[in-house]
Amino acid sequence: MRVRFAPSPTGSLHIGGARTAYFNWLFARKHQGVFVLRIDDTDLERSTEASYQQILDGFRWLGIDWDEGPDVGGPYGPYRQSQRLEIYRAQLQKLLDEGRAYPCFCTPEQLAEDRARAQQAGEAPRYAGRCRHLPREEAERRIAAGERPAYRLRTPESGKTVVHDLIRGDVVFDNAEIDDFIIWKSDGMPTYHFASCVDDSLMQITHIIRAEEHLSNTPRHIQLFDALGAKVPVFAHVPMILAPDRSKLSKRHGATSVQEYRDQGILPEALVNYLLLLGFSPGEDREVLSRDEAIQVFDLEKVTKHAAVYDVKKLEWLNAHYLRAMPPERALELIWDTLVSRGWVDADPDRERLGWLLQVVRAVQERSRSVDELADSMGYYFVRPASYDEKGVRKHFTAQAAERLEAAARALDEVAPFTALRVEAVYRERIAAWNIKGGELIHPTRLALTGVTVGPGLFDVMALLGRAECQARMRAAADWIRANV
RNA sequence: GGCCCUAUCGUCUAAUGGUUAGGACGCCGCCCUCUCACGGCGGUAAUAGGGGUUCGAAUCCCCUUAGGGUCACCA
């Protein structure tokens, strides 16, 4: 089995495209098939090298690899359509020789006029067929005279074309609905439909898994495969992904490209897991699946038929899940550059410092929903709080708190060694001696040390910060309370 | 407008003629607890509407409605 994903490098890798590619990849891996990456860059105007790189990077980041493609090669290359023009030209010539295609000299203005008239008359805006029966000699004469025609496929006027779709079953189209569409533009370039079908047939693609928007185009493609003398592949049109307002996903709905998600601290395994759940159900109420597990359970026939609305909340939940389960070593790696650029850590720390960093990561890891959040929530381990949470101040920074903070700071002198367990023992002792509730000392301390009211267990934070730092911050907070409250 | 696709909690989905219509995210409550998060327990909430077929319909058929796609010398 051979499948392909054929993005055009005119922008970033869209999550809709990423899901379609992922389904192709899963299908190929599940059936020990071949996944081909083909670059659809016949639109020279809009295609860019940057976009091409971005798309490849996006797939690498997601962990989706390809067996044949522009960078790795393969037996059916080249894999960039802009490098296959000779192939398309030869195929066009073949169709012309066989009378399956014909030149069309109608101008875009003429065609637009036809369309407008048809619209007005309430008819389908289809090609009128003006050049369909043009004598060969006349066509040749006009070309010789310098006219540059487009080329159309001669499609059957009656009968039906059936699309065999693994997700939707057989979809029947009336051939009368399909007009003689253009397969070759007058500027000398093939159209998407033509290039795509030529490639699919030459590259021996057996299953075309693509977005639903192509379903209506499929009868044309089948006509093309027939004309080309190629075996018609099996189709699977996966439902679209919609924005929360049920419209097409676009920029105004926030992040739509996989790089944006990466930049926002989303993990690739979370994104890929979420994408799997859009339009597919693994069964047995399972929701969290690794790539390998996804390969095991994936089944095109179980893909839903209806569009799915994109819900970031569930992605974030999955992301938090994967972030929590990750070894701290990897989490630290993910935020390393950020920590260095903020001046929080040295680019090349010693063993001891590294061990300490891993403990910090471990402490905040399960409280973060994204990689960004993880880095952000580590700030107070490196720098003293610049301010104190306002609500926290009102609640915990009382006049008594100032005294207690100073007394507690003094008491920390006794703690040896300075571990969470020992610190807690001393704290509990003070709490009992003062006959107060634990929170009355714990909360002000946390606010003094971190500037915020949330975070890991206080004694872990204290052990991580160390005695001197704790004492300094507590005394600073006491002074601040006296000056400001 | 023609053609095509689709329709279960707010969202993602399960249930392929017989279930108190299940799970997950979100939200709410309780428990755990030094806070937050995690975790545990519980709650909220759906078969678009109308006709058939059938002993029995979310499930099959028809109509309506709603959403989407496509009809380009874009891909």
Side-chain angles (χ1 to χ4, degrees), chain A residues 34-148:
Chain A
V34 174
F35 177 52
V36 178
L37 183 64
R38 186 172 75 215
I39 301 300
D40 195 339
D41 55 355
T42 50
D43 187 345
L44 267 17
E45 289 288 303
R46 296 196 300 150
S47 298
T48 67
E49 189 63 22
S51 166
Y52 165 73
Q53 287 301 340
Q54 222 176 25
I55 288 167
L56 261 51
D57 282 351
F59 282 131
R60 290 192 190 105
W61 180 70
L62 286 171
I64 295 173
D65 57 349
W66 48 99
D67 308 299
E68 296 172 25
D71 56 334
V72 296
Y76 301 97
Y79 292 89
R80 293 181 78 147
Q81 293 189 328
S82 57
Q83 296 167 0
R84 298 172 61 80
L85 291 177
E86 285 314 314
I87 296 169
Y88 305 134
R89 248 189 282 273
Q91 294 293 320
L92 172 70
Q93 193 54 53
K94 203 182 98 193
L95 293 186
L96 250 21
D97 293 344
E98 292 166 354
R100 309 289 305 244
Y102 61 89
C104 173
F105 297 90
C106 300
T107 64
E109 293 75 35
Q110 259 177 310
L111 295 171
E113 228 172 86
D114 290 348
R115 254 197 303 280
R117 200 175 315 119
Q119 288 274 10
Q120 220 157 25
E123 287 162 21
R126 300 170 52 248
Y127 177 58
R130 208 183 337 257
C131 300
R132 189 169 216 240
H133 302 290
L134 221 57
R136 205 187 185 98
E137 305 74 47
E138 185 185 340
E140 279 167 8
R141 193 179 339 111
R142 291 174 72 171
I143 291 171
E147 281 193 65
R148 287 284 162 266

Side-chain angles (χ1 to χ4, degrees), chain A residues 293-322:
Chain A
E293 290 169 323
I295 292 169
Q296 295 305 312
V297 302
F298 187 71
D299 180 358
L300 268 182
E301 300 190 19
K302 278 169 64 184
V303 172
T304 60
K305 299 174 170 68
H306 56 271
V309 170
Y310 191 81
D311 174 29
V312 193
K313 279 286 196 314
K314 194 153 186 172
L315 207 212
E316 287 170 349
W317 170 75
L318 276 166
N319 201 53
H321 171 88
Y322 281 105

Side-chain angles (χ1 to χ4, degrees), chain A residues 415 419-431 459:
Chain A
V415 179
T419 62
L421 227 55
R422 297 300 177 106
V423 173
E424 175 159 16
V426 169
Y427 251 60
R428 295 292 175 199
E429 196 184 295
R430 301 278 20 113
I431 287 162
F459 305 114

